[in-house]
Amino acid sequence: MAIDPATPDTTGTGAIREAGGDVPAAVGPDGRPAAGIGPYRLGLRRLRRNKVALAFGALFLVIVVLCLAAPLYADHVAHTGPNDNHVTEQVTVRGEQKDVVSPAGLPIGPTWQGRFLLGADQNGRDLAVRLLYGGRNSLQVGFVATLITMVLATIVGICAGYFRGAVDGVLARILDLIWAYPVVLLGIALGTSLALGGITIGPLELSGNSLYVPAAIIGIVYIPYVAKPIRGQVLGLREKEFVDAARVQGASSLHIMSREILPNVASTLIVFLPLMVANAILLEAALSYLGAGIQPPNPSWGTMISDGIRLIPSAIHLTFVPGAMLVLAVLGINVFGDGVRDALDPRARVRISAAREEKISDEAMEATVEH
Amino acid sequence: MARFVVRRLLSMVLVLFAISILTFLIFQAIPNGDPAVRMAGRLATPEQIAQIRQSWGFDDPIWQQYLTTMGKIFSGDVVSYTQQLNVLDQIKQALPATLSLSIGAGIIWLFFGVLFGLISAIKAGRFTDRALTVLALVGVSTPVFLLGAVALYFLAFKLTIFPNGGYVPLTDDPVDWLYHLILPWCVLSVLFIGVYSRVLRSNVLDTMSEDYVRTARAKGISERRVMVRHVLRNSMIPIISLWSLDFAAVIGGGAILTESVFNLQGVGQYAADSIQQLDVPPVLVVVMLGAFAVVILSALTDVIFAFLDPRIRLTG
């Protein structure tokens, strides 16, 4: 919603910790880059030193693994499925019989034991089980949407920037169109209409409650955010000598775009990747909150929060549990993405060092990374 | 300069035209979305449905339906399908709440975004910077409806410091208006403060390495003056264009989540309710209004910047 398309690398934390430019192995004794170290190896090395980013990346990874293990938890610990109702049942908590859902309609809170670890919802469904299954759905939508965004945005951005002229004119107008269309409104308009009837595009048939409906919507909505900066970068790259060299050697446009230009925008794509996953998960939650995302009874973090908000005065845990999980997952990938950006964007290091008026041999490193 | 403005205006009209067609098609293409069936109610006879279909023109070819609807929008007598109320009147009723929310929040997020971004840049690499960075990322990672709901639970329900949602018109009671809006303003601002402080921080760090800043320092100007007159001024340009875009989006229904959590009955909430009832005319008008605000404000910013900075004119 609020990413500036023109400045992909502006939300920088800065790899502050290493602002002194102390990557000794990367720089030879004469201050020149040591031979044989590629920009990505350098980036990886910088990322490895950013312990905060790694810790948050690990947090995200743990959440992903937990969600993938949802069926194991459901079968062996909770002994119930994500959509199984236990409204009329009772559960033994520390030797005491308790209603899963009280006669007044209040669901049980966290029991801190195998069954109903985090409590139940108003339908007597195990919240922890739903949390993990919901996470699978939220993450799946996030990843699929990001894949759609990245692939289409790369194609559109490279074509627009490489061919310029009429191709650029048409593509840029389409991007402007998506760009000017209010994101959330476009999402709920598409989501509501597709949720009702599904859609058939050629051999592809999506039913209304398919996960791929919100994923496709979110994927399309975010295309301009990535395509615009890629296009700008390609406009500059196509004038570089190595493109001319390929052209006089008789390389086709397709070859130049895929073999010469694509590797040079790859680092921008890598920087956008975690950012887009985070945004896609957030937009899915927003759409589900408005009823235009993942359709019940399928759980997702967004639908669980929106169900919980209706009962917030009597059962805060219904909002708090999925909310905390969502924020932790998104925060994890955001901080990690920030670290990736710093590691791959040597300018961030130059900026900080300049601000601190320290002389470092970063220019040399910048030269290697920019090919 | 004149050519630049004309070109910008032309592409603006084109985008708006395309948006109106797209919105119309999205809702026309819905299977099971026949408005006549829903308007007639559950117990309607096929004759009644046919009659509604004829009198509303749902039998016409789609381009003709589009033209009729657009004609009605521009003549001001477009009516919603479900309750058959004049859409423009409904929007006029909802607009004060949305404007109050967006103007107040816009000021708050711009002020605190710039303040935190500047502090972060000056203290780059120190503890303050890192703490602000983490805070900004937490703000960016929290869905606004979750934050709003939790804030309402603790501050309105548990502690009863703030009212539990709702909107009071400014003309009715200015104090109550303010009282009802403080929480929505803060909640809506959090995300933007996070984004803006990050953007400003890196802009300031970029600008600080420019030659003219070194020149200014070399002339012996005080550090405060260098920061304010030379660094901050130049770092603000991208922030202002970002702000005008976000602000326009918030006015045009972008605050939909905040509005529904706090039950402000604004334009966004009106659009959300209409979408859920598959009511095309209100959605069409709100979406066009929002796109209109975005397109006009971004064109306006472009023109103003082109006027202020000749470099943009040449490259744009």
Side-chain angles (χ1 to χ4, degrees):
Chain A
M1 223 168 303
I3 321 161
D4 182 6
T7 48
D9 56 348
T10 39
T11 46
T13 14
I16 296 140
R17 185 177 301 256
E18 37 167 51
D22 47 348
V23 188
V27 183
D30 52 352
R32 293 183 166 278
I37 296 179
Y40 292 107
R41 181 87 72 77
L42 263 178
L44 202 65
R45 202 170 280 175
R46 289 202 201 101
L47 184 61
R48 227 182 270 151
R49 306 168 120 253
N50 190 344
K51 295 285 185 276
V52 179
L54 286 184
F56 276 89
L59 172 73
F60 179 72
L61 214 62
V62 167
I63 293 175
V64 171
V65 170
L66 279 179
C67 291
L68 285 178
L72 286 177
Y73 179 80
D75 287 348
H76 297 287
V77 185
H79 306 290
T80 178
N83 297 329
D84 296 346
N85 288 9
H86 302 278
V87 182
T88 54
E89 290 171 30
Q90 292 199 316
V91 61
T92 317
V93 184
R94 278 173 283 277
E96 224 180 305
Q97 286 282 319
K98 279 187 177 170
D99 288 331
V100 173
V101 178
S102 76
L106 281 188
I108 193 171
T111 61
W112 308 118
Q113 62 184 29
R115 295 200 65 200
F116 301 104
L117 177 75
L118 299 171
D121 68 3
Q122 66 276 30
N123 291 322
R125 295 176 293 198
D126 190 314
L127 197 62
V129 174
R130 275 181 79 72
L131 183 71
L132 296 185
Y133 273 98
R136 273 159 82 101
N137 290 338
S138 291
L139 293 170
Q140 194 184 341
V141 168
F143 288 135
V144 173
T146 306
L147 190 72
I148 294 172
T149 306
M150 298 312 270
V151 170
L152 292 182
T154 309
I155 295 172
V156 169
I158 291 184
C159 284
Y162 182 78
F163 290 117
R164 298 189 301 189
V167 177
D168 184 27
V170 172
L171 290 176
R173 285 295 89 76
I174 295 176
L175 292 183
D176 275 350
L177 177 66
I178 306 179
W179 183 247
Y181 211 113
V183 174
V184 182
L185 285 184
L186 178 63
I188 51 176
L190 280 171
T192 316
S193 62
L194 293 182
L196 272 167
I199 194 172
T200 314
I201 312 167
L204 257 162
E205 197 175 323
L206 295 177
S207 71
N209 59 5
S210 163
L211 286 185
Y212 294 103
V213 170
I217 293 166
I218 296 166
I220 290 169
V221 158
Y222 279 131
I223 289 177
Y225 292 85
V226 183
K228 285 192 171 195
I230 295 286
R231 172 187 169 272
Q233 214 182 335
V234 173
L235 278 178
L237 282 171
R238 76 188 299 282
E239 310 296 338
K240 288 271 167 73
E241 290 83 352
F242 65 85
V243 174
D244 287 338
R247 205 173 286 137
V248 291
Q249 281 173 35
S252 66
S253 292
L254 188 68
H255 180 97
I256 295 176
M257 285 193 285
S258 60
R259 295 294 178 81
E260 306 289 343
I261 290 181
L262 184 61
N264 280 287
V265 295
S267 65
T268 310
L269 292 175
I270 292 174
V271 166
F272 265 114
L273 196 71
L275 198 76
M276 288 336 280
V277 173
N279 278 310
I281 295 175
L282 282 178
L283 186 55
E284 182 279 314
L287 291 183
S288 294
Y289 173 71
L290 293 167
I294 291 173
Q295 297 301 311
N298 277 343
S300 85
W301 290 334
T303 50
M304 291 176 71
I305 294 172
S306 97
D307 287 349
I309 284 177
R310 265 173 237 137
L311 286 176
I312 206 168
S314 51
I316 180 92
H317 70 282
L318 291 184
T319 307
F320 203 75
V321 167
M325 197 70 159
L326 176 74
V327 172
L328 281 180
V330 175
L331 183 65
I333 192 142
N334 262 334
V335 176
F336 179 72
D338 221 61
V340 171
R341 199 194 53 76
D342 285 334
L344 282 180
D345 178 15
R347 270 197 324 143
R349 295 161 45 76
V350 177
R351 277 202 299 259
I352 286 160
S353 55
R356 299 180 118 198
E357 290 164 330
E358 282 169 22
K359 276 190 178 172
I360 56 163
S361 57
D362 239 359
E363 283 82 358
M365 216 176 297
E366 187 172 20
T368 41
V369 175
E370 282 203 340
H371 297 267
Chain B
M1 188 69 206
R3 250 186 81 193
F4 179 80
V5 175
V6 170
R7 228 176 53 201
R8 207 69 189 74
L9 279 173
L10 273 180
S11 78
M12 190 175 99
V13 172
L14 211 69
V15 165
L16 284 175
F17 177 62
I19 283 177
S20 69
I21 290 183
L22 184 65
T23 313
F24 202 74
L25 283 180
I26 288 176
F27 283 90
Q28 286 297 336
I30 309 171
N32 319 324
D34 189 344
V37 177
R38 274 174 293 113
M39 279 162 77
R42 239 180 300 169
L43 300 169
T45 58
E47 290 80 41
Q48 281 173 311
I49 295 177
Q51 209 223 321
I52 291 177
R53 197 170 280 156
Q54 223 223 319
S55 62
W56 284 76
F58 294 138
D59 282 336
D60 297 341
I62 202 162
W63 59 268
Q64 200 176 338
Q65 290 189 41
Y66 170 77
L67 287 183
T68 323
T69 313
M70 292 309 283
K72 278 189 191 156
I73 289 176
F74 282 108
S75 61
D77 46 29
V78 60
V79 170
S80 69
Y81 289 165
T82 39
Q83 292 177 313
Q84 277 137 50
L85 295 168
N86 186 301
V87 173
L88 296 183
D89 285 348
Q90 294 289 101
I91 289 181
K92 250 179 241 160
Q93 261 178 37
L95 209 53
T98 300
L99 282 178
S100 307
L101 173 68
S102 42
I103 292 175
I107 293 170
I108 293 177
W109 90 59
L110 185 63
F111 179 76
F112 284 101
V114 169
L115 183 71
F116 291 155
L118 197 61
I119 294 174
S120 220
I122 292 170
K123 302 271 177 195
R126 313 246 167 82
F127 175 78
T128 323
D129 176 36
R130 263 183 239 171
L132 285 174
T133 297
V134 171
L135 272 181
L137 286 171
V138 171
V140 172
S141 306
T142 311
V144 76
F145 57 91
L146 177 67
L147 190 66
V150 172
L152 272 179
Y153 174 73
F154 285 111
L155 299 177
F157 182 75
K158 282 267 174 192
L159 296 174
T160 60
I161 302 173
F162 289 105
N164 196 359
Y167 173 73
V168 175
L170 178 63
T171 43
D172 283 10
D173 185 347
V175 178
D176 221 22
W177 170 83
L178 188 74
Y179 185 49
H180 277 80
L181 278 167
I182 290 178
L183 217 48
W185 280 342
C186 296
V187 166
L188 179 58
S189 300
V190 165
L191 163 80
F192 292 112
I193 292 175
V195 175
Y196 282 50
S197 65
R198 313 290 299 132
V199 174
L200 189 82
R201 175 186 181 276
S202 53
N203 286 346
V204 166
L205 290 178
D206 266 347
T207 316
M208 272 157 98
S209 59
E210 296 278 350
D211 287 340
Y212 62 80
V213 173
R214 192 167 37 182
T215 311
R217 282 215 180 98
K219 284 197 298 188
I221 297 172
S222 75
E223 189 60 29
R224 174 183 293 259
R225 203 179 152 86
V226 170
M227 282 309 291
V228 174
R229 294 293 288 272
H230 295 264
V231 176
L232 188 59
R233 237 192 200 182
N234 282 289
S235 311
M236 282 298 281
I237 291 178
I239 291 283
I240 295 296
S241 62
L242 192 61
W243 185 84
S244 71
L245 271 179
D246 286 333
F247 182 68
V250 166
I251 288 183
I256 196 166
L257 295 161
T258 316
E259 282 177 10
S260 49
V261 168
F262 290 100
N263 192 26
L264 294 177
Q265 305 291 345
V267 176
Q269 205 174 350
Y270 178 53
D273 294 346
S274 305
I275 288 176
Q276 246 129 44
Q277 295 161 330
L278 298 180
D279 203 337
V280 183
V283 181
L284 202 60
V285 177
V286 173
V287 163
M288 285 185 59
L289 196 77
F292 203 64
V294 170
V295 172
I296 287 188
L297 267 171
S298 74
L300 204 67
T301 343
D302 278 3
V303 171
I304 291 173
F305 283 151
F307 189 69
L308 293 176
D309 185 350
R311 280 176 303 182
I312 296 172
R313 226 176 310 164
L314 295 174
T315 53

